[in-house]
Amino acid sequence: MTENTEKSEQACDGNCSSCGTASTCTDPAKKTSSPIQKVEISVKHIILVLSGKGGVGGKSTVATNLAMSLSNKGYDTGIVDLDIHGPNIPKMLGVEDKRLESRDGKTIEPVRLTGKLGVVSMAFLLPDTSSPVVWRGPMKFTAIKQFLEDVNWGDMEYLIVDLPPGTGDEALAIAQLAPNIDGAVIVTTPPQDVAVMDSTKAVKFIQQLELPVIGIIENMSGMICPHCGDEIDLFGKGGGKKAAEELDVPYLGSIPH
Amino acid sequence: MCPTSVPSPIDPEMRKAGDEGRPFVIRKEGDDQHQATWEKVDAVMDNILKELKE
């Protein structure tokens, strides 16, 4: 037996329902032991926001923008920041000093930005912004379950889920746990080859999770001049549209810097 | 030539966020003033809602 296998077996407590890697588990006995139950949540629509890779594409910015657009249209909206290791939505929204609180000792209240917009993030639970979260998949799975199940989302109409870069535990967990996911929005950047490559990975990932792909957004598509308001092409354009055409999914539009 | 005397179309709050190193500005509830970036965001969101309805 290899060292890795020994470690893997030591980490397994035999409870698939709390295991973030249950869907990829290669042990047939463990995999079939208990199917993961969907959580009970009364949010009407859940939209995932992801990209094939991260750190440069502005995925969290897009997720936040979309949530604010929805709330501005009058919909009761929430954002859940599932970037457990690098939560930055609170910073973007200027509420990084807030903390999650409970009124009844049972459910967690989302941090309210406006009457129509609430946010939940791991950042609200960390002692400071420099504290790392050193967690394996099962712990992340449990946290994500709590963010869905134990938060008082009420009868919110839309929940925007900002996923971390790539195609890992967090996306698997939300797909397994959330009962009413409408689909995923894929964020990409303008350079065409990169956009197609990254979007392909993300689209295939979502399809493997048997979720609908709502469409592709091209972010950082040009820049609005701060002086004259004209749009300036910085890195070219059209990557998102090309990727959407090649992957046969809807193109949702572009957002400038 | 870009006329620098024209008032900036960027929301002052967005500018402040940029100065503070935040990449984003909070759009206030009910704020529907003309802003080019927001028009694009709203257009994308409308497309998402349209896709969800179909």
Side-chain angles (χ1 to χ4, degrees):
Chain A
M1 189 180 286
T2 64
E3 189 184 345
N4 280 344
T5 310
E6 283 172 6
K7 278 183 184 170
S8 172
E9 290 199 347
Q10 281 168 9
C12 177
D13 60 4
N15 183 7
C16 301
S17 65
S18 63
C19 180
T21 57
S23 66
T24 54
C25 182
T26 54
D27 185 330
K30 286 171 189 163
K31 194 177 178 183
T32 56
S33 63
S34 57
I36 293 169
Q37 297 291 315
K38 300 276 186 190
V39 299
E40 285 186 23
I41 180 170
S42 54
V43 176
K44 294 185 183 77
H45 304 278
I46 297 179
I47 299 172
L48 311 184
V49 180
L50 79 158
S51 61
K53 70 181 179 70
V56 290
K59 177 178 46 56
S60 297
T61 307
V62 169
T64 314
N65 270 313
L66 294 179
M68 297 202 78
S69 177
L70 274 173
S71 71
N72 237 36
K73 289 176 193 294
Y75 296 110
D76 199 2
T77 307
I79 316 175
V80 57
D81 181 2
L82 287 195
D83 195 341
I84 304 286
H85 299 287
N88 51 19
I89 282 189
K91 175 74 176 171
M92 289 179 178
L93 293 169
V95 290
E96 68 269 30
D97 56 337
K98 302 281 185 189
R99 289 289 173 265
L100 293 176
E101 291 173 358
S102 175
R103 289 183 200 145
D104 57 6
K106 294 174 187 167
T107 54
I108 302 163
E109 296 299 321
V111 170
R112 284 273 169 191
L113 283 117
T114 69
K116 293 280 184 186
L117 183 59
V119 58
V120 165
S121 170
M122 182 56 72
F124 296 136
L125 300 169
L126 298 175
D128 56 66
T129 53
S130 62
S131 296
V133 177
V134 188
W135 283 0
R136 289 185 189 277
M139 287 184 76
K140 287 192 276 186
F141 186 92
T142 305
I144 290 166
K145 193 174 181 191
Q146 280 192 291
F147 280 175
L148 291 174
E149 203 168 37
D150 297 346
V151 171
N152 179 20
W153 293 112
D155 292 325
M156 203 166 263
E157 279 160 292
Y158 287 94
L159 185 64
I160 303 290
V161 180
D162 180 38
L163 287 166
T167 51
D169 285 327
E170 293 84 347
L172 284 170
I174 192 92
Q176 289 169 332
L177 290 168
N180 43 1
I181 297 175
D182 284 294
V185 167
I186 290 153
V187 178
T188 190
T189 44
Q192 296 201 358
D193 291 345
V194 177
V196 173
M197 190 171 66
D198 291 342
S199 302
T200 302
K201 272 190 279 188
V203 166
K204 284 185 176 176
F205 178 62
I206 291 302
Q207 288 169 342
Q208 278 182 23
L209 295 176
E210 297 178 351
L211 294 172
V213 176
I214 299 170
I216 292 177
I217 299 171
E218 180 175 301
N219 192 36
M220 299 183 176
S221 179
M223 172 199 152
I224 305 291
C225 173
H227 298 297
C228 64
D230 278 355
E231 201 167 329
I232 304 164
D233 261 354
L234 288 178
F235 308 114
K237 274 185 152 185
K241 194 169 186 182
K242 188 180 177 208
E245 284 168 0
E246 289 194 11
L247 296 164
D248 195 24
V249 297
Y251 177 59
L252 299 169
S254 62
I255 298 174
H257 277 274
Chain B
M1 174 80 75
C2 182
T4 53
S5 58
V6 174
S8 167
I10 290 185
D11 187 312
E13 289 290 322
M14 180 181 279
R15 202 154 245 205
K16 185 165 174 276
D19 291 343
E20 291 171 359
R22 285 188 280 124
F24 181 70
V25 62
I26 300 173
R27 189 190 203 191
K28 292 177 183 64
E29 192 175 16
D31 180 1
D32 56 359
Q33 67 175 354
H34 172 78
Q35 218 276 9
T37 303
W38 276 110
E39 285 179 2
K40 296 266 189 180
V41 171
D42 284 341
V44 167
M45 198 63 241
D46 287 340
N47 283 337
I48 291 174
L49 294 177
K50 198 169 77 182
E51 288 294 331
L52 293 182
K53 281 177 187 160
E54 282 177 2

